[in-house]
Amino acid sequence: MTQLAKQLEEPRANAANQAEPALLQAQKLSMLYAPGKGFEDVNLSLYPGEVLAIVGESGSGKTTLLKTLSGRLAPQTGSISFQSDSNTAELYKISEAERRSLVRQHFGIVHQHPLDGLRPRVSAGGNIGERLMENGWRNYAEIRQQALTWLKAVEIDQSRIDDMPLTFSGGMQQRLQIARNLVTHPRLVFMDEPTGGLDVSVQARLLDLIRNLVTELQLAVVIVTHDLAVARLLAHRIMVMKQGQVVESGLTDRVLDDPSHPYTQLLVSSVLQQ
Ligand SMILES: Nc1ncnc2c1ncn2[C@@H]1O[C@H](COP(=O)(O)OP(=O)(O)OP(=O)(O)O)[C@@H](O)[C@H]1O
């Protein structure tokens, strides 16, 4: 049995806390570059500790939706509200400076290509520490200590703290990007194909790490993936997109074991045939 197959046999750990108010709520959200290119009429609620996977074929609008949900691309219509502490902020009604500050404080964004989310000319420790400084940390010794702690948490040898990310393997770069994002304890993390482009064994290790961190830190996550095995492993709920439309959504096991939309049935059966 492969490592990934073994992981798939283990239950997803943390349960979403739907007794609390939704962390993120999107209503009637649309952003189309051209007809069928982007996404249309998306509604979703994400609760603390919940992992939502957005799946669908290439070009179905997953990344565009993730960018909008994470405060980086204004929608043409609709609204997104984010609940932070006791405040609710409408993501695209506040000023750009307020939105940037909210994103910096409360969101993590993990890009598919790690170098898109890292500063290549800054050391590994600097990449982690920079996020703390952006959030007001000033004590160098404490920042370095946090960097060491997080290198260990993402299974990077602490002796690499002063090395540049370009000297790391792809898997290590991705783990460093995750550390840079989680060091500030965001409530919500957006991930775009975080295991894409990595070898299968590196993928399995990274998925295991992500799953453990999500559970330990009770993170809410929106993850874009075209890989149903990744969605099965990590997500409580799945949203299936086709040509910019959400064609089906629901609990992961229900959607994957008993898909109701023909497109989801096709996706699931094509994986089974591989
Ligand atoms: N900046 C842009 N300007 C114009 N069209 C765009 C832009 N970004 C994306 N698109 C188009 O919008 C559609 C949706 O793209 P998007 O990247 O959201 O899809 P995706 O589901 O994430 O695909 P993939 O899995 O290949 O990354 C595609 O047809 C894409 O070519």
Side-chain angles (χ1 to χ4, degrees):
M1 191 185 275
T2 65
Q3 198 178 345
L4 186 57
K6 271 192 215 143
Q7 287 171 352
L8 290 174
E9 300 233 311
E10 293 168 20
R12 256 161 269 120
N14 60 330
N17 189 354
Q18 296 208 352
E20 290 181 37
L23 206 53
L24 193 76
Q25 232 169 354
Q27 280 176 327
K28 298 193 170 155
L29 217 53
S30 299
M31 167 63 215
L32 289 171
Y33 294 109
K37 291 190 186 302
F39 62 86
E40 233 179 326
D41 201 22
V42 172
N43 297 289
L44 67 84
S45 301
L46 186 78
Y47 290 87
E50 185 171 34
V51 181
L52 172 72
I54 303 174
V55 305
E57 66 197 357
S58 185
S60 56
K62 306 181 297 296
T63 295
T64 308
L65 176 58
L66 197 76
K67 277 189 184 159
T68 297
L69 292 173
S70 57
R72 293 173 291 155
L73 179 67
Q76 287 154 337
T77 61
S79 64
I80 303 174
S81 59
F82 173 70
Q83 177 85 26
S84 67
D85 310 319
S86 54
N87 299 324
T88 304
E90 277 242 9
L91 221 50
Y92 294 97
K93 288 223 170 117
I94 55 180
S95 69
E96 193 177 335
E98 286 170 322
R99 186 164 57 253
R100 280 202 188 161
S101 156
L102 183 150
V103 168
R104 200 166 48 234
Q105 257 185 292
H106 299 291
F107 291 1
I109 299 172
V110 176
H111 301 265
Q112 172 174 0
H113 303 293
L115 293 176
D116 290 344
L118 291 172
R119 298 236 283 138
R121 287 185 180 76
V122 171
S123 68
N127 263 285
I128 300 174
E130 189 179 59
R131 294 304 295 268
L132 292 171
M133 291 194 282
E134 283 172 5
N135 280 281
W137 288 51
R138 291 290 172 263
N139 183 308
Y140 178 78
E142 282 173 14
I143 292 171
R144 193 166 171 91
Q145 188 50 52
Q146 279 293 309
L148 284 167
T149 303
W150 272 93
L151 284 176
K152 188 162 182 227
V154 297
E155 300 165 9
I156 295 176
D157 195 323
Q158 291 172 321
S159 68
R160 304 294 305 265
I161 188 165
D162 295 318
D163 293 347
M164 298 293 158
L166 287 175
T167 66
F168 290 4
S169 68
M172 281 170 75
Q173 288 176 352
Q174 195 55 297
R175 283 181 273 128
L176 180 62
Q177 190 192 185
I178 289 170
R180 177 177 159 93
N181 271 281
L182 297 189
V183 66
T184 53
H185 296 280
R187 301 197 64 196
L188 179 49
V189 180
F190 298 90
M191 299 186 181
D192 194 352
E193 303 273 12
T195 58
L198 297 170
D199 290 350
V200 174
S201 63
V202 178
Q203 263 186 33
R205 180 174 170 202
L206 186 61
L207 278 174
D208 208 25
L209 177 77
I210 292 174
R211 187 168 62 165
N212 289 339
L213 289 170
V214 165
T215 308
E216 270 168 37
L217 303 173
Q218 283 285 296
L219 293 174
V221 178
V222 182
I223 179 169
V224 160
T225 180
H226 66 274
D227 187 339
L228 295 186
V230 170
R232 169 85 87 181
L233 182 68
L234 293 176
H236 301 105
R237 277 193 298 136
I238 289 192
M239 216 164 86
V240 183
M241 293 186 70
K242 179 176 190 273
Q243 289 173 346
Q245 310 273 344
V246 176
V247 296
E248 181 163 3
S249 64
L251 293 175
T252 303
D253 293 339
R254 205 281 298 151
V255 172
L256 296 184
D257 295 339
D258 186 20
S260 57
H261 192 278
Y263 176 68
T264 319
Q265 291 166 0
L266 192 71
L267 277 185
V268 171
S269 66
S270 63
V271 172
L272 292 176
Q273 280 160 18
Q274 277 170 12

